[in-house]
């Protein structure tokens, strides 16, 4: 199908990803979105499932995020957060800081991120600050993450980000 009908191949993977997302399997959906080369959807799905970065799925998530051709895509805050997620999973905390700073620059003057995506940014910044020993930044980021969680729709993702912010 990939060779004979490339568009059909991508559409089939997008459909499979949609089904998986609807059935609470966003991490598995990342594989199909990457196969469809739908990088914006990979980023959005990752950010929607970002509380999983600290869970047992983090290495599978990292592999899917590494498939994104970041250099050939326009700069965007969600892509910077994907790169920050890869760096965090890999223990490259200075790189996490750099990607978060770039995401913040890209967000200046915009409407910002959806609440749970913003909570992920703050939780990731807080986790990195904790490792680097900046306790005032940990508190500041945790408070910001809780603010964003309070604006989000209730659910497992909001609970996950709230729990991360409190730990």
């Amino acid at each position: 199908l990939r060779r004979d009908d490339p568009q059909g191949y991508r559409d089939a993977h997008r459909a499979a990803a949609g089904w998986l997302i609807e059935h609470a399997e966003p991490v598995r959906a990342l594989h199909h979105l990457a196969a469809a080369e739908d990088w914006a959807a990979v980023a959005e799905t990752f950010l929607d499932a970002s509380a999983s970065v600290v869970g047992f799925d983090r290495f599978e998530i990292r592999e899917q995020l590494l498939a994104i051709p970041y250099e050939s895509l326009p700069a965007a805050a969600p892509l910077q957060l994907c790169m920050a997620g890869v760096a965090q999973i890999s223990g490259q905390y200075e790189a996490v800081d750099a990607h978060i700073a770039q995401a913040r620059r890209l967000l200046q003057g915009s409407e910002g991120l959806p609440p749970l995506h913003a909570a992920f940014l703050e939780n990731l910044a807080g986790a990195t600050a904790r490792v680097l020993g900046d306790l005032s930044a940990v508190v500041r980021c945790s408070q910001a993450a809780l603010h964003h969680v309070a604006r989000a729709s209730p659910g497992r993702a909001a609970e996950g980000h709230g729990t991360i912010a409190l730990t």
Side-chain angles (χ1 to χ4, degrees):
L1 188 58
R2 174 185 252 174
R3 187 192 63 196
D4 295 336
D5 185 4
Q7 186 59 47
Y9 174 82
R10 287 189 295 278
D11 290 344
H13 277 289
R14 279 190 200 95
W19 187 91
L20 287 165
I21 291 166
E22 287 176 18
H23 291 86
E25 294 284 347
V27 174
R28 290 181 55 208
L30 289 172
H31 167 77
H32 291 285
L33 293 169
E37 298 179 356
D38 190 342
W39 308 120
V42 169
E44 183 175 342
T45 301
F46 163 68
L47 292 171
D48 288 345
S50 57
S52 299
V53 168
V54 298
F56 62 91
D57 291 328
R58 66 187 178 277
F59 298 110
E60 182 179 346
I61 291 169
R62 181 183 63 189
E63 293 309 309
Q64 298 310 318
L65 295 179
L66 286 170
I68 298 174
Y70 297 102
E71 311 79 37
S72 64
L73 298 171
L79 292 174
Q80 288 296 319
L81 293 178
C82 288
M83 291 189 286
V86 168
Q88 195 272 345
I89 294 166
S90 302
Q92 300 169 335
Y93 301 107
E94 289 80 14
V96 174
D97 264 351
H99 291 302
I100 289 172
Q102 180 63 15
R104 290 186 196 280
R105 281 191 291 278
L106 290 167
L107 289 167
Q108 288 176 350
S110 75
E111 293 180 22
L113 295 167
L116 289 179
H117 298 186
F120 172 69
L121 182 152
E122 297 298 345
N123 278 332
L124 197 55
T128 301
R130 183 177 296 113
V131 169
L132 299 175
D134 186 349
L135 296 181
S136 63
V138 171
V139 171
R140 192 172 52 255
C141 292
S142 294
Q143 290 172 334
L146 290 171
H147 167 76
H148 294 301
V149 167
R151 294 182 20 235
S153 299
R156 287 180 51 203
E159 290 173 17
H161 282 295
T163 300
I164 292 167
L166 292 171
T167 55

